């Protein structure tokens, strides 16, 4: 197991199933950034209130936030 992994944490806008968030884990930073950028679009606001990319150190059991995207609610005019 690598000493560091990268986690994308998706905080649901409405956690109807009782699960407030879901996570994707990546071994490489470049792969994690590419996946994170895929969700930086207006349609993500329909599902998520926030998307965060964190670096998780398994040796220290610590997390460091690398990027956070806060999504406002969409509306129709």
């Amino acid at each position: 197991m690598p000493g560091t992994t990268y986690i994308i944490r998706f905080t649901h806008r409405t956690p109807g199933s009782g699960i407030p968030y879901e996570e994707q884990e990546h071994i490489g930073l470049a792969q994690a950034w590419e996946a994170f950028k895929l969700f930086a679009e207006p349609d993500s606001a329909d599902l998520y209130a926030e998307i965060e990319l964190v670096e998780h150190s398994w040796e220290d059991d610590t997390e460091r936030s690398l990027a956070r995207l806060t999504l406002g609610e969409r509306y129709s005019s």
Side-chain angles (χ1 to χ4, degrees), residues 9-45:
R9 189 168 293 132
F10 302 89
T11 303
H12 294 278
R13 181 158 303 285
T14 54
S17 63
I19 301 170
Y21 64 88
E22 58 187 275
E23 296 180 336
Q24 285 183 1
E25 189 170 2
H26 299 270
I27 296 172
L29 179 57
Q31 178 190 28
W33 269 110
E34 286 302 312
F36 180 83
K37 290 189 296 185
L38 289 174
F39 291 94
E41 63 166 36
D43 287 344
S44 292

Side-chain angles (χ1 to χ4, degrees), residues 5-9 22-26 32 52-56 58 63:
T5 56
Y6 302 91
I7 299 168
I8 303 173
R9 189 168 293 132
E22 58 187 275
E23 296 180 336
Q24 285 183 1
E25 189 170 2
H26 299 270
E52 183 178 20
L53 174 61
V54 298
E55 176 185 73
H56 182 89
W58 291 96
E63 286 188 355

Side-chain angles (χ1 to χ4, degrees), residues 41-52:
E41 63 166 36
D43 287 344
S44 292
D46 292 339
L47 300 173
Y48 307 114
E50 184 176 274
I51 302 170
E52 183 178 20

